[in-house]
Amino acid sequence: MGVNRMAVVPVVQPVAFPHRVHVDSETVGLSCDICHAGALTQTGAGIPPLWLCASCHAAMPTESDAARDLKAFIDTDRPIPWQRVWRLPAHTFFSHRTHTAVAGIDCAACHGDMASLDAPPIVPLKTLTMADCIACHTREQGGERQVDQRRGGQGPVRPVSASSSPGGDADCTACHR
Amino acid sequence: MALWGMTIDLDLCTGCQACALACKAENNIPDVGTVDVRRGRRIAWMEVLVQTDPHHPGRARFLPRPCLHCDDPPCTKVCPVFATFRDHNGTVGQVYAQCIGCRFCMAACPYNAKYFNWRTYHDPGPGQNPQVSVRGKGVVEKCTFCHHRLLLAEDRARGEGRPLAPGDYVPACVEACPTGAITFGDLADPDSAVAHQARSPRAFRLLEELGTRPKVIHLAARRERDHA
């Protein structure tokens, strides 16, 4: 298992994709789930396929380096090898649908202000460790949780059984698989 | 809260091993290799136990044995780090990230349903079920009632704004059984098929005298009785 924290190694993306122009209603005004199609309906949010970029960019001028990099992928029809920034270890389960569509949590609560970026994030704008997950779940529940200090307050070590589902659950197997 | 449980009708079990194979594929269970098998290190979350009788050659009895998800589990009481515990649905969970590999739980389990990874038998990669983590060297693993399927089923139900319906969550072994010998569901719901079966006069729980209160309940084979 080992330590598998979220990326702290800087991520370099193959195309310098700017979120701001695409999301800002003054410019393109796309909503997040047009590109991240699973963000409201699936466990994984998903990364947009090349044809989606091509649908606008195939006919657009290529003046900047970023636009030329993109054009090269479009012309050769190669999928862009985007690198993951936020990534949980395989032994955890996380679902976007539960948090976005069901609980109504804003993307920015977990991902920070992605909409304002002019270049891809090189490290997560906000970390999501187990302590962060549980901190929000505890807050949502408005209740006390048994937090064991032996993990440096990193989370409850003794499972809190018989706790109910709404607002999240500190039973380890709610997130671990 | 549900109380997930399973019944296995030994009258219907033909010993075909479909459950064991489906489990192996679903849960990324490693092939430990012949050397380790000889050392008794085989990993089989669902194990079809075979009993032969020298007085009746050619006759065999089969008993599929997953983790029995005891309602009063002996294994959880000895875990020094709470890596194994009975969760709010009654299922006995095993958090691999928390496990330190002391194997106390294996010693405590009267059913030998827990297994140790003596080596790193395989790495995560293509061909494996991405919904289930690949356990590394030094952790104990066991049947989880395909817990990952529950997480996905609950997530889907939440997304559709409805409660979990019977049949939303079914472990791989139950799906695979060609004779329908295995029934799975909520034992806390008296009307569920599994609760109905659990009340059968044929129902027995393995080593129930130990007070472990297994939630995997076997139904004794009638055929065997008639022929004996």
Side-chain angles (χ1 to χ4, degrees), chain B residues 27-174:
Chain B
N27 291 298
N28 302 332
I29 294 170
D31 178 0
V32 301
T34 42
V35 175
D36 272 4
V37 167
R38 259 188 249 123
R39 289 176 176 152
R41 297 175 177 180
R42 203 158 66 87
I43 301 184
W45 291 8
M46 172 61 109
E47 182 144 33
V48 181
L49 305 174
V50 184
Q51 189 185 44
T52 49
D53 177 355
H55 300 297
H56 297 93
R59 256 216 214 161
R61 293 202 290 178
F62 303 106
L63 190 131
R65 193 250 40 220
C67 167
L68 303 192
H69 294 277
C70 305
D71 225 30
D72 193 359
C75 60
T76 60
K77 300 190 179 104
V78 296
C79 179
V81 294
F82 309 110
T84 187
F85 59 93
R86 180 191 178 282
D87 76 12
H88 63 285
N89 286 322
T91 307
V92 178
Q94 183 89 22
V95 179
Y96 308 121
Q98 183 79 359
C99 177
I100 56 168
C102 72
R103 293 175 280 139
F104 287 0
C105 61
M106 290 174 66
C109 175
Y111 307 103
N112 289 337
K114 300 195 125 180
Y115 298 89
F116 187 61
N117 285 274
W118 287 88
R119 295 188 281 121
T120 297
Y121 293 112
H122 54 182
D123 292 314
Q128 278 162 342
N129 183 354
Q131 300 300 334
V132 179
S133 57
V134 171
R135 286 77 57 186
K137 176 178 173 177
V139 298
V140 173
E141 60 177 67
K142 69 169 194 77
C143 155
T144 62
F145 270 168
C146 286
H147 171 77
H148 56 286
R149 293 193 173 202
L150 174 62
L151 296 180
L152 288 169
E154 278 180 340
D155 177 55
R156 205 175 307 126
R158 260 195 303 270
E160 291 164 12
R162 58 175 176 85
L164 208 61
D168 277 354
Y169 163 41
V170 177
C173 57
V174 182

Side-chain angles (χ1 to χ4, degrees), chain B residues 173-197:
Chain B
C173 57
V174 182
E175 263 177 12
C177 179
T179 61
I182 316 180
T183 309
F184 184 81
D186 183 0
L187 287 170
D189 170 6
D191 298 326
S192 68
V194 71
H196 185 78
Q197 295 242 21

Side-chain angles (χ1 to χ4, degrees), chain A residues 70-115:
Chain A
L70 175 60
K71 196 72 171 44
F73 282 105
I74 294 174
D75 288 345
T76 52
D77 201 21
R78 279 180 299 137
I80 307 177
W82 298 113
Q83 304 296 308
R84 290 285 298 269
V85 184
W86 276 268
R87 172 148 251 172
L88 295 179
H91 59 78
T92 53
F93 171 80
F94 175 82
S95 167
H96 273 87
R97 167 166 52 192
T98 287
H99 290 89
T100 54
V102 179
I105 299 170
D106 203 36
C107 312
C110 297
H111 292 298
D113 193 4
M114 288 294 294

Side-chain angles (χ1 to χ4, degrees), chain A residues 7 9 11 34 54 68 70 87 91 95 103 113 117 124 126 139 150 152 165 173:
Chain A
V9 185
V11 174
I34 292 197
R68 271 190 293 275
L70 175 60
R87 172 148 251 172
H91 59 78
S95 167
D113 193 4
L117 295 185
K126 275 188 125 155
R139 216 163 41 239
R150 274 175 299 177
S165 221
T173 44

Side-chain angles (χ1 to χ4, degrees), chain A residues 1-124:
Chain A
M1 304 282 89
V3 181
N4 202 344
R5 301 261 175 216
M6 294 231 171
V8 278
V9 185
V11 174
V12 181
Q13 298 290 5
V15 174
F17 172 81
H19 267 80
R20 195 171 54 81
V21 280
H22 294 92
V23 179
D24 197 336
S25 54
E26 305 272 293
T27 47
V28 186
L30 296 176
S31 74
C32 309
D33 63 315
I34 292 197
C35 288
H36 303 297
L40 304 177
T41 55
Q42 309 269 302
T43 51
I47 289 291
L50 182 66
W51 63 258
L52 190 65
C53 319
S55 63
C56 290
H57 281 276
M60 276 167 56
T62 51
E63 273 143 30
S64 67
D65 283 349
R68 271 190 293 275
D69 289 345
L70 175 60
K71 196 72 171 44
F73 282 105
I74 294 174
D75 288 345
T76 52
D77 201 21
R78 279 180 299 137
I80 307 177
W82 298 113
Q83 304 296 308
R84 290 285 298 269
V85 184
W86 276 268
R87 172 148 251 172
L88 295 179
H91 59 78
T92 53
F93 171 80
F94 175 82
S95 167
H96 273 87
R97 167 166 52 192
T98 287
H99 290 89
T100 54
V102 179
I105 299 170
D106 203 36
C107 312
C110 297
H111 292 298
D113 193 4
M114 288 294 294
S116 71
L117 295 185
D118 286 318
I122 53 169
V123 289

